[in-house]
Amino acid sequence: MVESVTRRSTDRQDQKFPMATPVKVYGPPMSTAVSRVLACLLEKDVQFQLIPVNMFKGEHKSPDFLKIQPFGQVPAFQDESTSLFESRSICRYLCEKYAEKGNTGLYGTNPLAKASIDQWLEAEGQSFNPPSSVLVFQLAFAPRMKIKQDQAVINENEQKLAKVLEVYEKRLGESRFLAGDEFSLADLSHLPNTHYLVNASDRGELFTFKKNVGRWWGEISSRDSWKKVVEMQKQTT
Amino acid sequence: MVVKVHGSVRAACPQRVLACLLEKDVEFEIFHVDLDAGEHKRPEFLLRQPFGQIPAVEDGDLKLFESRAIIRYYAAKYVDRGPNLLGNSLEERAVVDQWLEVEAHNFNDLVKTLVFQIVILPRMGEHGDLALAQKCEQQLEKVFDIYEQHLSKSSYLAGDSFTLADLSHLPAIRYLVNDAGMGHLVSERKHVNAWWEDISNRSAWKKLMELSKY
């Protein structure tokens, strides 16, 4: 459940003292790393407060923000006295801390399942994320920010991503989801970048023209949790 | 059960796994993969690691790749053996994981690119891109500044004890200091230097250096 920043209640008491939730996420929902955490929170049915960070104004580089994320990146995260950054570690933390809530199999229910999920989460982080992030920036964000696209960089990363997706195509022909038969953090971690490439660029066919990857994308992107994240992204643009 | 590690003992990612197994006193056997001969891109190897990268491990029925996934698995499996590489509570484990992710996303690529340009390409008889290497060096200076500030408040990355987060940095920093002539990144920073001296003098890491026969 989401505690949105805009309150609908007209009760003056409520407006003066908004309900505090211990879980806070700092960053704009349009950020791929922030939306990774939001998807996880929604899968786990954990209430949270989303605190905006205006990156266009450089808020993520302000001294106050650097105290909670010394690399000046989003998201930052707090759960009572626990402060964390790095979206994938926040996701793992949420799955461990709220193991009994929401999707209880998201990070596996035994060490072997967890190892497989970690393997594909690392594959996402090491092989999928670098080229897809570059393409997301070049194809989906640069035009909006009126930054000139670099065609050589686009071509280079498209080729890299295509090779990675060939591996995924084979894997997803053997397995319904990346780490096994159940949707997991490993699949979830791919949602943010893939969403932009499929919906906000002309390279969506990298995914949709592949039989197994296309099937997988259709399944994971139609989960309620992801649909809610996309709604949140739309509300803030 | 002896853990089979497929990879080269001198390559960074297999070293990450081997360092962890040595810390945990887990028996392993190295199956060398000849990168120069392109063994990692051959069909037989791709069955083990579909991205054509090292390492890949085999432990009975378990087959696993991605070094940081492998070390998470073994650090948890043998949590009660040897040093605790994970932290003592859920929150501490999360901080270990956080710095493991920092290494993976804010540190590793910069080192990999820099080492490729000024060490690997010249070894292959080719010219490295010095401008690109310099850019990586400048970015690494900023990353190390953040580490310096952090390590001034904390003996190790995730707290008072050596954990996976520190271990994960060992192979890349070795490359920087020993092969790439980038030791100044470490030695010019008091707390980073003390930390590096400490973690690189651990007996598990020294054993690995012996195995690697540098």
Side-chain angles (χ1 to χ4, degrees), chain A residues 140-198:
Chain A
F141 283 100
R144 288 187 212 180
M145 292 158 72
K146 303 224 174 19
I147 293 173
K148 190 165 180 256
Q149 292 174 315
D150 185 332
Q151 202 53 52
V153 163
I154 292 172
N155 291 344
E156 186 193 336
N157 285 278
E158 196 181 325
Q159 277 173 30
K160 282 183 189 166
L161 182 58
K163 284 206 180 111
V164 171
L165 291 176
E166 272 171 36
V167 175
Y168 282 27
E169 180 65 9
K170 184 163 187 281
R171 171 62 183 171
L172 293 164
E174 298 156 0
S175 176
R176 185 173 168 201
F177 296 100
L178 285 171
D181 295 327
E182 306 284 332
F183 175 80
S184 76
L185 268 191
D187 310 287
L188 182 150
S189 204
H190 291 78
L191 286 161
N193 289 9
T194 310
H195 171 78
Y196 279 121
L197 291 178
V198 170

Side-chain angles (χ1 to χ4, degrees), chain B residues 86-107:
Chain B
L86 286 176
N88 293 309
S89 65
L90 193 150
E91 285 73 21
E92 282 180 23
R93 285 192 179 206
V95 176
V96 173
D97 201 45
Q98 171 189 279
W99 285 98
L100 196 35
E101 289 291 325
V102 166
E103 183 273 322
H105 297 285
N106 277 343
F107 185 85

Side-chain angles (χ1 to χ4, degrees), chain A residues 70-71 73 82-86 88-89 92-93 96-97 111-112 115 118-120 122-123 125-127 164 167-168, chain B residues 50-51 53 62-66 68-69 72-73 90-91 94-95 97-99 101-102 104-106 108 143 146-147:
Chain A
F71 297 88
Q73 296 161 335
T82 301
S83 271
L84 286 176
F85 51 89
E86 285 298 334
R88 296 168 191 79
S89 73
R92 285 189 183 95
Y93 163 82
E96 300 282 22
K97 172 118 191 244
L112 292 176
D118 271 333
Q119 173 183 277
W120 288 99
E122 285 295 324
Q126 294 294 313
S127 296
V164 171
V167 175
Y168 282 27
Chain B
F51 298 93
Q53 295 163 336
L62 172 68
K63 290 193 167 81
L64 209 47
F65 56 84
E66 283 297 340
R68 295 171 193 82
R72 281 186 178 97
Y73 173 75
L90 193 150
E91 285 73 21
V95 176
D97 201 45
Q98 171 189 279
W99 285 98
E101 289 291 325
V102 166
H105 297 285
N106 277 343
N108 185 57
V143 171
I146 296 169
Y147 281 31

Side-chain angles (χ1 to χ4, degrees), chain A residues 22-231:
Chain A
V23 175
K24 294 176 170 58
V25 182
Y26 297 80
M30 62 164 210
S31 146
T32 51
V34 172
S35 67
R36 181 174 292 116
V37 173
L38 299 180
C40 185
L41 284 160
L42 289 159
E43 279 284 330
K44 295 300 289 174
D45 202 19
V46 171
Q47 286 200 39
F48 63 93
Q49 194 181 353
L50 181 60
I51 294 157
V53 175
N54 192 327
M55 295 178 75
F56 291 108
K57 288 192 180 158
E59 259 178 48
H60 54 311
K61 306 291 181 189
S62 71
D64 274 341
F65 190 82
L66 291 174
K67 282 186 195 137
I68 57 174
Q69 216 295 11
F71 297 88
Q73 296 161 335
V74 291
F77 171 92
Q78 279 160 352
D79 182 1
E80 287 172 319
S81 57
T82 301
S83 271
L84 286 176
F85 51 89
E86 285 298 334
S87 62
R88 296 168 191 79
S89 73
I90 296 166
C91 289
R92 285 189 183 95
Y93 163 82
L94 288 168
C95 289
E96 300 282 22
K97 172 118 191 244
Y98 300 102
E100 304 304 312
K101 292 204 78 182
N103 184 339
T104 56
L106 196 57
Y107 193 22
T109 49
N110 65 72
L112 292 176
K114 193 174 274 188
S116 179
I117 294 168
D118 271 333
Q119 173 183 277
W120 288 99
L121 199 34
E122 285 295 324
E124 181 272 318
Q126 294 294 313
S127 296
F128 178 86
N129 188 57
S132 61
S133 287
V134 170
L135 287 174
V136 167
F137 176 77
Q138 288 284 333
L139 301 173
F141 283 100
R144 288 187 212 180
M145 292 158 72
K146 303 224 174 19
I147 293 173
K148 190 165 180 256
Q149 292 174 315
D150 185 332
Q151 202 53 52
V153 163
I154 292 172
N155 291 344
E156 186 193 336
N157 285 278
E158 196 181 325
Q159 277 173 30
K160 282 183 189 166
L161 182 58
K163 284 206 180 111
V164 171
L165 291 176
E166 272 171 36
V167 175
Y168 282 27
E169 180 65 9
K170 184 163 187 281
R171 171 62 183 171
L172 293 164
E174 298 156 0
S175 176
R176 185 173 168 201
F177 296 100
L178 285 171
D181 295 327
E182 306 284 332
F183 175 80
S184 76
L185 268 191
D187 310 287
L188 182 150
S189 204
H190 291 78
L191 286 161
N193 289 9
T194 310
H195 171 78
Y196 279 121
L197 291 178
V198 170
N199 296 293
S201 87
D202 60 354
R203 298 300 200 281
E205 56 202 46
L206 279 168
F207 297 86
T208 56
F209 276 23
K210 285 183 153 60
K211 178 175 156 224
N212 301 322
V213 171
R215 185 269 308 158
W216 168 77
W217 172 246
E219 272 206 72
I220 68 174
S221 58
S222 55
R223 292 182 74 88
D224 283 341
S225 57
W226 186 247
K227 285 185 185 165
K228 283 192 192 125
V229 175
V230 172
E231 253 324 292

Side-chain angles (χ1 to χ4, degrees), chain B residues 17-194:
Chain B
V17 170
L18 296 170
C20 177
L21 296 175
L22 285 161
E23 287 282 350
K24 287 303 194 173
D25 204 16
V26 174
E27 258 197 277
F28 60 83
E29 196 183 340
I30 301 170
F31 288 75
H32 182 69
V33 176
D34 191 345
L35 300 175
D36 290 333
E39 195 183 331
H40 53 313
K41 305 293 179 189
R42 287 197 208 128
E44 316 88 73
F45 188 79
L46 291 174
L47 289 173
R48 290 193 182 283
Q49 215 290 13
F51 298 93
Q53 295 163 336
I54 52 172
V57 309
E58 196 180 328
D59 185 355
D61 288 333
L62 172 68
K63 290 193 167 81
L64 209 47
F65 56 84
E66 283 297 340
S67 61
R68 295 171 193 82
I70 296 165
I71 64 177
R72 281 186 178 97
Y73 173 75
Y74 283 103
K77 182 173 180 183
Y78 296 106
V79 67
D80 294 325
R81 188 198 287 193
N84 180 355
L85 299 176
L86 286 176
N88 293 309
S89 65
L90 193 150
E91 285 73 21
E92 282 180 23
R93 285 192 179 206
V95 176
V96 173
D97 201 45
Q98 171 189 279
W99 285 98
L100 196 35
E101 289 291 325
V102 166
E103 183 273 322
H105 297 285
N106 277 343
F107 185 85
N108 185 57
D109 278 349
L110 292 172
V111 177
K112 214 161 68 166
T113 306
L114 191 152
V115 167
F116 189 72
Q117 298 304 325
I118 65 178
V119 178
I120 309 294
L121 283 176
R123 270 186 203 165
M124 287 159 60
E126 292 181 40
H127 290 294
D129 183 338
L130 291 179
L132 177 57
Q134 208 177 28
K135 201 171 149 209
C136 288
E137 189 188 344
Q138 282 164 6
Q139 286 175 289
L140 270 171
E141 296 267 13
K142 290 192 185 137
V143 171
F144 271 114
D145 282 343
I146 296 169
Y147 281 31
E148 178 65 12
Q149 222 204 6
H150 182 70
L151 290 165
S152 71
K153 299 177 218 149
S154 165
S155 308
Y156 298 92
L157 287 172
D160 295 326
S161 309
F162 177 81
T163 67
L164 281 190
D166 310 286
L167 182 149
S168 199
H169 287 79
L170 283 160
I173 300 182
R174 192 214 63 81
Y175 264 108
L176 285 178
V177 170
N178 290 16
D179 295 349
M182 290 283 148
H184 67 276
L185 290 170
V186 171
S187 61
E188 282 171 1
R189 291 169 173 85
K190 179 176 157 203
H191 298 97
V192 170
N193 193 57

